[in-house]
Amino acid sequence: MADEFQYEELCIPAFDDFFLPNLSNDNVRRHLSRLLWFVHHKIPPVRMTNMMIKIKPSQEHSEPVHNAYIALSRKVEDAISSPAIPTNENSPPIIVPEPTNSPY
């Protein structure tokens, strides 16, 4: 399901219509941080940046909310700063045999 978060058709109802209007509740903010933890690499960078700004807790929020946000911030920063897997354009293509209809 994480792959679907790259499309606005899912992001708008999930984030804009469901989670963001309820951010005043600590549980919603914490669970949204957990959701973003698992799908942040699929969310478009601009949306992810906006989400991080919107879910940033204030001093009135509980410690678990702050901890979830800090952990998510670190994970997102690590994902951005880690180099992408290099591809070697000179390497030959990988040949995968086609499956057969053999019963074994």
Side-chain angles (χ1 to χ4, degrees), residues 13 22 34 37-38 40 43 49 55-57 60 62 67 76 79 88-89 91-92 96 100:
N22 297 303
R34 289 179 182 169
W37 175 275
F38 292 104
H40 71 88
I43 297 176
T49 302
I55 68 168
K56 185 174 182 175
E60 358 178 286
S62 66
N67 292 341
V76 171
N88 187 353
E89 294 177 10
S91 66
V96 179
T100 62

Side-chain angles (χ1 to χ4, degrees), residues 32-89:
L32 177 56
S33 296
R34 289 179 182 169
L35 173 63
L36 292 173
W37 175 275
F38 292 104
V39 299
H40 71 88
H41 59 283
K42 297 291 184 178
I43 297 176
V46 173
R47 179 169 279 281
M48 191 63 203
T49 302
N50 290 337
M51 293 297 296
M52 292 301 293
I53 291 169
K54 291 176 182 177
I55 68 168
K56 185 174 182 175
S58 65
Q59 295 198 355
E60 358 178 286
H61 292 99
S62 66
E63 185 177 344
V65 171
H66 284 275
N67 292 341
Y69 179 81
I70 290 168
L72 176 62
S73 297
R74 289 180 182 153
K75 184 164 182 151
V76 171
E77 287 174 15
D78 289 346
I80 292 171
S81 63
S82 66
I85 299 173
T87 57
N88 187 353
E89 294 177 10

Side-chain angles (χ1 to χ4, degrees), residues 8-25:
E8 286 295 313
E9 291 83 24
L10 179 65
C11 288
I12 290 173
F15 297 130
D16 299 344
D17 297 338
F18 182 72
F19 284 109
L20 294 179
N22 297 303
L23 281 181
S24 59
N25 185 328

